[in-house]
Amino acid sequence: MGNSTTASGSSASAAASVSASGTNGTAQRTPGRAKTARQASKSGGSRTSGSGHAERVFLVQTAFAELGGSAHGPGEIAEFTGLDDSVVYRILQSGIYQRIFERVDRGLYRLRTSAAQLAFTALDHRLDGATSQTVLRELRMATDGGLAFLYMVAPFSGAQRQCVDMAVGDSDLAELGMTPRDVLSVTRSLRTGASGRTILAYLPEVLQQRVLAEPVPDQAGPGVFRDNDALLASLAEVRDLGHALGYEECMAGWNSCAAPIMWDGAIMGAVLLLKLKSVMPVPPESVIEATKEAAAELSRYGAARPSADQP
């Protein structure tokens, strides 16, 4: 929610935490981290055959996420990862047997839904509702009654977001000037609002291009970014500054500030602070810092750490 220009700083690398279940084909595909890692391993000394094979399997899995699209052939994956075609083919065939990959057409493969099950298992117990409520209520108090929201990447709807928690006191959607339909059609889009652009800034390029190809929601506010070049420039600013400022992007009369929630280097969501434009014509530094601290707190809760029974 909120309208957006951006501000403040963490530049964590975009990780493919959302599966690219489709793409508009406009993104230019270039060798990514997987190929870079492969090249580094070649120059970094010898490895045992076992660890080398495991690395190649992980590179193939990563390629599916970073390339985007619905399915890929061994040649495309080999080019992206720097592996031999024959090696990729053998990994894919073994992965079919292990229920990691599936063949969807002649010479084309994709990840099975078991990959998503692994992701859900990894996220289990990272954050509970009591924790997020505490953080959001503290943010509301620190910003003199601002409306605090927690948005997370939506797992089943492609590159979108979903509001999963809020601290708004006695406020309701009617007071915000929004209907439930507005919430579904406007605030789920990653190209509208400070929280949407904050999440979008850290997603892989293939997903960014997919979002840029979407139309601006009809109900978006007057401050929404309609020009894709301006939107892309705002994403770079988000990464440089570590937060986004929104000016009537989702709805008229409301300004906002958002900061990213990062777990293990991957973007998972954003904390949003929303206030009336008449009360907050420009988010002050105190609001920016409070929002960033709330996002940092939720990032710390989600970060991987050993369990209590581990040494």
Side-chain angles (χ1 to χ4, degrees):
M1 300 168 75
N3 140 330
S4 307
T5 37
T6 60
S8 137
S10 64
S11 55
S13 61
S17 59
V18 181
S19 64
S21 57
T23 184
N24 56 31
T26 61
Q28 181 180 1
R29 288 177 177 172
T30 56
R33 286 191 305 259
K35 188 170 184 179
T36 301
R38 176 63 181 164
Q39 292 170 338
S41 70
K42 287 181 178 179
S43 60
S46 61
R47 293 175 177 265
T48 65
S49 59
S51 63
H53 174 71
E55 179 185 351
R56 290 190 288 270
V57 172
F58 290 135
L59 286 174
V60 170
Q61 290 177 309
T62 301
F64 279 96
E66 295 199 7
L67 280 170
S70 59
H72 304 285
E76 185 181 14
I77 296 172
E79 181 181 0
F80 182 82
T81 60
L83 299 173
D84 294 335
D85 288 29
S86 59
V87 172
V88 172
Y89 179 78
R90 289 195 298 271
I91 290 173
L92 291 172
Q93 296 308 303
S94 177
I96 291 174
Y97 179 76
Q98 299 296 333
R99 302 179 62 82
I100 300 299
F101 309 117
E102 62 181 348
R103 186 186 294 109
V104 295
D105 200 353
R106 186 176 181 87
L108 292 177
Y109 303 81
R110 68 184 177 192
L111 290 170
R112 289 182 63 94
T113 54
S114 57
Q117 292 173 342
L118 289 173
F120 289 139
T121 301
L123 296 178
D124 191 25
H125 304 307
R126 289 291 181 102
L127 187 64
D128 58 49
T131 298
S132 62
Q133 259 298 299
T134 298
V135 172
L136 293 178
R137 287 175 179 173
E138 290 176 351
L139 174 59
R140 177 171 164 78
M141 292 177 59
T143 55
D144 296 323
L147 307 180
F149 298 84
L150 172 60
Y151 280 93
M152 302 296 281
V153 177
F156 296 114
S157 55
Q160 296 183 343
R161 59 183 159 144
Q162 181 178 11
C163 182
V164 299
D165 203 356
M166 64 182 75
V168 298
D170 296 329
S171 302
D172 56 27
L173 289 176
E175 181 179 339
L176 299 180
M178 298 189 73
T179 67
R181 176 172 294 185
D182 292 331
V183 172
L184 291 177
S185 63
V186 180
T187 65
R188 70 181 180 184
S189 173
L190 293 183
R191 65 174 300 145
T192 60
S195 61
R197 291 186 300 104
T198 294
I199 294 172
L200 184 61
Y202 295 94
L203 288 178
E205 182 183 356
V206 291
L207 292 181
Q208 290 181 353
Q209 292 295 331
R210 177 178 174 179
V211 172
L212 264 61
E214 298 173 355
V216 175
D218 293 337
Q219 301 90 341
V224 68
F225 285 89
R226 297 187 179 276
D227 179 77
N228 281 350
D229 289 337
L231 178 57
L232 283 172
S234 80
L235 302 185
E237 190 177 357
V238 171
R239 293 189 294 269
D240 288 341
L241 300 173
H243 68 272
L245 301 182
Y247 298 96
E248 298 183 281
E249 279 190 71
C250 283
M251 51 194 168
W254 291 87
N255 291 342
S256 57
C257 177
I261 298 171
M262 310 292 294
W263 291 355
D264 304 336
I267 182 68
M268 298 305 299
V271 170
L272 176 72
L273 191 283
L274 186 68
K275 298 191 84 168
L276 282 168
K277 177 183 177 181
S278 58
V279 176
M280 188 178 71
V282 176
E285 191 64 29
S286 60
V287 166
I288 295 172
E289 290 305 315
T291 304
K292 292 175 67 175
E293 176 52 36
E297 181 71 7
L298 294 176
S299 295
R300 287 191 288 270
Y301 275 104
R305 49 188 179 270
S307 60
D309 57 349
Q310 288 182 318

